[in-house]
Amino acid sequence: MRLMRSYHLSHSGAGPDGLAVREHEIPEPGPGQALLAVRATSLSFRELMVLNGTYVLPVKPDVVPVSDGAGEVVAVGPGVDTVGVGDRVAATLFPSWQDGPFAIEHLDQRGGSLDGMLTDFALVDVASLVAIPEHLTYEQAATLPCVAVTAWNALTGDGAGVRPGDTVVVQGSGGVSLFALQFAKALGARVIATTSGPVKAERLRCLGADAVVDYSATPDWADEVRVLTGGRGADRILDVAGLLHESVRAIALSGTIACVGFVGSTVTPLDPQALFASGATIRTVAVGSRAQFIAMNAFIEEHRIRPVIDRTFAFEDAVDAYWHYAIGAPFGKVVINNP
């Protein structure tokens, strides 16, 4: 009997120390399924919420965590002809969300209500798989399913999308923001990034940011965005911290604010009068469909974009990877390798 290893979460709210490795028999794929040898996974803020018991969607008991992974197809079920053994693929976070707007029937999510990718082998529906860009390694491709698709959706998923010459604001140096910076530049936008400290500011400039606001030196970053845009404001802001009151101050008339998270420790109430006066559209963004994932991968391949990886850990050191992500202030993605 061939055995595989999987991490399991003892109970929601346990934190990284609630993860334990167990061995299982390697499953056989059924109709419409493929078996993946998971070569790499990556962490996002979502994974901390799952472990800490604060995730907004259901988490099943004893779940195999982590939504994001990439691997090699090693077996397919009867009748499967859309993927084959040896294909390099990633799996979508919401397996049933193929295209169009998100709907309640798509709530099942990998690493939450469904088992995730922190395992040697994963059994997945082939309809949720996408081919990964040829120039990316498994480690790089593992960073895409959650934060990259979220950034792509935030920039392009509202119908209008980012146009050449637009000004886009990205906040901080987390995964969504770094992907958004790279995507927005490739789309022809001018990018203003916010961060804390000169070291991160320089790294953001090296990635292509046209201007960087260091909010540790200039706390009123919204006013500074106004200065940098000649008083007009930004056409689009990716708000990852839940600081919507500040984003409303920095947005151009009839601009778009993509609310993609709430990692900030405090939240100031949003003034409806200020929102109305801005004429802004606030759009919540939670990952994206398989169709958006495929379109994003084509864009990544066309522009030869490479994800920013902060640090890579071995599968056996996954708990250390979680702690590094939680307290290490990473610049870019934290990856868990499982060659």
Side-chain angles (χ1 to χ4, degrees):
M1 178 172 51
R2 297 175 61 217
L3 297 178
M4 56 177 266
R5 304 163 299 167
S6 299
Y7 279 88
H8 293 261
L9 179 60
S10 61
H11 63 276
S12 185
D17 290 332
L19 290 171
V21 179
R22 295 208 298 270
E23 289 189 337
H24 310 271
E25 186 175 355
I26 298 175
E28 294 288 334
Q33 293 182 322
L35 183 68
L36 302 188
V38 182
R39 302 304 187 194
T41 55
S42 74
L43 302 181
S44 64
F45 189 70
R46 171 195 184 274
E47 306 307 333
L48 294 184
M49 290 192 289
V50 169
L51 264 62
N52 293 331
T54 58
Y55 190 46
V56 296
L57 295 178
V59 176
K60 73 172 188 173
D62 202 40
V63 69
V64 176
V66 182
S67 63
D68 290 19
E72 179 185 356
V73 175
V74 293
V76 297
V80 170
D81 58 7
T82 54
V83 297
V85 172
D87 286 355
R88 300 188 334 131
V89 295
T92 57
L93 192 154
F94 295 101
S96 71
W97 187 10
Q98 293 293 307
D99 201 357
F102 190 71
I104 194 167
E105 58 263 29
H106 303 315
L107 280 180
D108 272 344
Q109 13 79 47
R110 219 174 297 280
S113 59
L114 305 171
D115 280 334
M117 305 294 280
L118 197 54
T119 179
D120 288 328
F121 295 91
L123 200 60
V124 299
D125 291 337
V126 295
S128 68
L129 294 177
V130 299
I132 60 179
E134 289 186 2
H135 70 289
L136 297 186
T137 64
Y138 283 120
E139 291 81 4
Q140 292 168 332
T143 69
L144 301 178
C146 182
V147 298
V149 177
T150 297
W152 179 255
N153 189 356
L155 294 173
T156 69
D158 60 348
V162 172
R163 295 164 296 189
D166 281 356
T167 296
V168 175
V169 172
V170 299
Q171 298 174 341
S173 54
V176 172
S177 297
L178 294 184
F179 274 114
L181 191 166
Q182 293 175 287
F183 292 160
K185 287 300 296 180
L187 288 165
R190 178 193 184 207
V191 178
I192 300 173
T194 70
T195 192
S196 60
V199 175
K200 287 184 176 179
E202 182 56 31
R203 294 188 70 179
L204 289 166
R205 289 189 187 94
C206 290
L207 281 174
D210 297 280
V212 180
V213 179
D214 181 352
Y215 54 76
S216 61
T218 309
D220 197 339
W221 64 267
D223 273 358
E224 187 63 17
V225 168
R226 289 277 177 189
V227 171
L228 291 168
T229 56
R232 180 178 178 275
D235 299 288
R236 187 172 299 245
I237 298 175
L238 273 72
D239 194 312
V240 302
L243 302 175
L244 291 173
H245 65 292
E246 291 295 319
S247 293
V248 167
R249 292 182 55 232
I251 197 70
L253 185 64
S254 299
T256 298
I257 300 169
C259 178
V260 299
F262 40 89
V263 299
S265 57
T266 60
V267 177
T268 300
L270 182 59
D271 179 2
Q273 185 174 359
L275 175 60
F276 188 83
S278 73
T281 297
I282 296 181
R283 176 175 172 258
T284 57
V285 177
V287 197
S289 67
R290 180 174 179 265
Q292 289 174 306
F293 199 162
I294 292 170
M296 179 197 73
N297 278 353
F299 186 83
I300 287 173
E301 193 149 14
E302 177 187 358
H303 294 276
R304 312 300 286 181
I305 292 170
R306 293 187 181 273
V308 180
I309 294 177
D310 174 86
R311 186 172 169 187
T312 299
F313 290 79
F315 184 84
E316 295 78 9
D317 299 324
V319 173
D320 292 337
Y322 269 94
W323 282 117
H324 176 72
Y325 183 84
I327 64 177
F331 187 97
K333 295 292 288 177
V334 175
V335 172
I336 300 167
N337 193 19
N338 192 14

